[in-house]
Amino acid sequence: MRIAVPAEVKNNEYRVALTPAGTHDLIAAGHRVTVQEGAGEGSSIPDEAYANAGAHVEPDVDALWNDAELILKVKEPIASEYRYFRDDLVIFTYLHLAADGDLTRALLASGTTALAYETVQRDDRSLPLLAPMSEVAGRLAAIVGAHTLLKPAGGPGLLVPGVPGTHPANVAVLGGGVAGTNAAQVASGLGAHVTVLDTNLERLREIDAIFNGRVETVASNALEVDAAVTRADLVIGSVLIPGSKAPKLVTNDLVRRMRPGSVLVDIAIDQGGCFEDSHPTTHDEPTFRVHESIFYCVANMPGAVPHTSTHALTNATLPYVRAVAQGGWQSAAAQDPALAKGVNVHAGTLVCEPVARAHDLEFTPLSSLIG
């Protein structure tokens, strides 16, 4: 199969979808890999490393897209890339279609087949291709939140761990999944008082065991969210419903009642955000104010640490990419139910039910297309 890796074009997105090691693996299996010139530079991977692994390094992005059968990306295609869509192309990347009606309609109109990393889901409900970036985003959320609390960053001038004789910051983490647990780990390690809220009591028991009681766990409901958010200095939103828009847990009125200078970091922004006033921001302009609070809603947080993120992502995606390349996406999806859930769009048909619900579009089960 002809596999191509374009350079990412999203604001301050320095990751790349494939490492030289992954490139070597696919070429050894008989596939052709083309990497856009400079695609790996942001992740400290020079073109020479891809060439040494056997890849063709292509300076012409139009030629790269037009020749490819399978496009590997990190972030969802942006409007300038829609012109490359065609009915014999497969794209495998993070899509987040529930929060992006324009991209959904462009894929449907073009007939492109689109597989989403974030909806690949195993029987145990784990998300193997989202997990590594959730780990990165969760850990970053505590770090950028602590930075934003500093006075030069616009915050109240609060040191998260405090010092002897002062109070540490109160950190509320909404959602105890992979991202939330990693956020709690770093915030707790910094010395904050951390509360994790989740509706899953079994997950809260697991978190309590992981942290040996150092993190407070609370069953999430409207009253407890209100109490935790209004006393928090830093709120980290990490609620996820695979493929669907994130629920809005923090209202504008709740933000109005928060402490002046409090910070809200919305990890769920790729899926629409879990705070009412959230809207996507960039690494260039990461924050905005709502009432007297500061929102951080960067939609590609792991892009800030590409050296770590690129390798973690390829480690997770390569087995699935190998399967798609070896027998085609239909065969791979038929053999692997987890990968089948990653198929979002095919031949003008929407086959991911949560995305269909988000945009009030017709849904067709994938089983009717692949048997």
Side-chain angles (χ1 to χ4, degrees):
M1 183 174 282
R2 300 190 304 277
I3 303 168
V5 181
E8 296 296 319
V9 292
K10 197 176 181 75
N11 177 276
N12 280 283
E13 181 52 72
Y14 300 109
R15 289 173 289 179
V16 63
L18 195 65
T19 61
T23 299
H24 180 272
D25 182 285
L26 292 171
I27 291 173
H31 307 293
R32 181 187 177 198
V33 177
T34 301
V35 178
Q36 186 179 343
E37 186 176 88
E41 288 180 0
S43 297
S44 303
I45 304 174
D47 291 339
E48 183 182 9
Y50 287 109
N52 290 340
H56 170 64
V57 178
E58 175 61 68
D60 186 341
V61 63
D62 289 350
L64 177 142
W65 275 87
N66 292 333
D67 180 64
E69 295 174 285
L70 171 62
I71 288 283
L72 301 180
K73 280 178 54 60
V74 178
K75 290 303 293 177
E76 69 282 355
I78 64 173
S80 63
E81 295 173 304
Y82 294 177
R83 62 194 176 98
Y84 297 122
F85 295 170
R86 61 181 196 273
D87 60 11
D88 61 345
L89 181 67
V90 178
I91 298 176
F92 201 7
T93 187
Y94 288 115
L95 287 172
H96 302 290
L97 293 183
D100 195 336
D102 289 342
L103 175 57
T104 302
R105 287 185 286 272
L107 289 169
L108 289 170
S110 68
T112 300
T113 298
L115 285 67
Y117 294 153
E118 75 275 5
T119 61
V120 174
Q121 186 174 22
R122 295 180 179 136
D123 289 341
D124 63 2
R125 301 184 65 188
S126 63
L127 304 167
L129 305 190
L130 186 62
M133 296 303 96
S134 294
E135 291 169 343
V136 172
R139 296 183 184 201
L140 270 178
I143 294 170
V144 299
H147 173 76
T148 308
L149 285 168
L150 303 180
K151 197 68 175 179
L158 178 65
L159 180 65
V160 166
V163 295
T166 69
H167 292 288
N170 283 313
V171 177
V173 179
L174 307 182
V178 174
T181 301
N182 278 270
Q185 179 184 11
V186 172
S188 176
L190 289 173
H193 177 270
V194 180
T195 302
V196 177
L197 296 93
D198 200 286
T199 57
N200 187 332
L201 295 181
E202 187 55 40
R203 181 57 187 161
L204 293 180
R205 292 188 182 96
E206 292 170 355
I207 292 172
D208 183 71
I210 290 169
F211 292 100
N212 291 319
R214 297 189 310 275
V215 167
E216 183 179 356
T217 56
V218 175
S220 183
N221 55 57
L223 188 63
E224 293 293 356
V225 169
D226 189 295
V229 169
T230 52
R231 67 170 177 262
D233 302 295
L234 169 61
V235 178
I236 297 173
S238 59
V239 179
L240 174 70
I241 301 173
S244 299
K245 283 188 175 181
K248 303 294 185 182
L249 299 184
V250 177
T251 64
N252 179 276
D253 178 67
L254 185 47
V255 174
R256 181 182 58 79
R257 293 185 282 114
M258 292 181 68
R259 294 179 178 181
S262 55
V263 173
L264 299 94
V265 178
D266 198 341
I267 300 175
I269 191 63
D270 278 325
Q271 294 294 123
C274 58
F275 309 143
E276 181 181 358
D277 293 290
S278 289
H279 63 76
T281 60
T282 67
H283 288 289
D284 282 343
E285 297 183 35
T287 63
F288 59 92
R289 287 188 174 270
V290 176
H291 299 301
E292 296 184 70
S293 296
I294 305 168
F295 278 53
Y296 181 102
C297 301
V298 174
N300 60 325
M301 289 177 64
V305 287
H307 188 77
T308 298
S309 299
T310 288
H311 289 84
L313 181 61
T314 296
N315 290 343
T317 59
L318 187 58
Y320 294 92
V321 171
R322 191 187 299 120
V324 171
Q326 193 62 36
W329 74 268
Q330 292 102 326
S331 174
Q335 294 177 45
D336 186 350
L339 180 61
K341 292 180 180 178
V343 183
N344 281 206
V345 179
H346 172 61
T349 303
L350 197 54
V351 296
C352 181
E353 188 170 8
V355 174
R357 286 200 305 268
H359 300 300
D360 195 24
L361 294 171
E362 184 178 348
F363 160 70
T364 301
L366 182 63
S367 58
S368 68
L369 303 179
I370 65 173

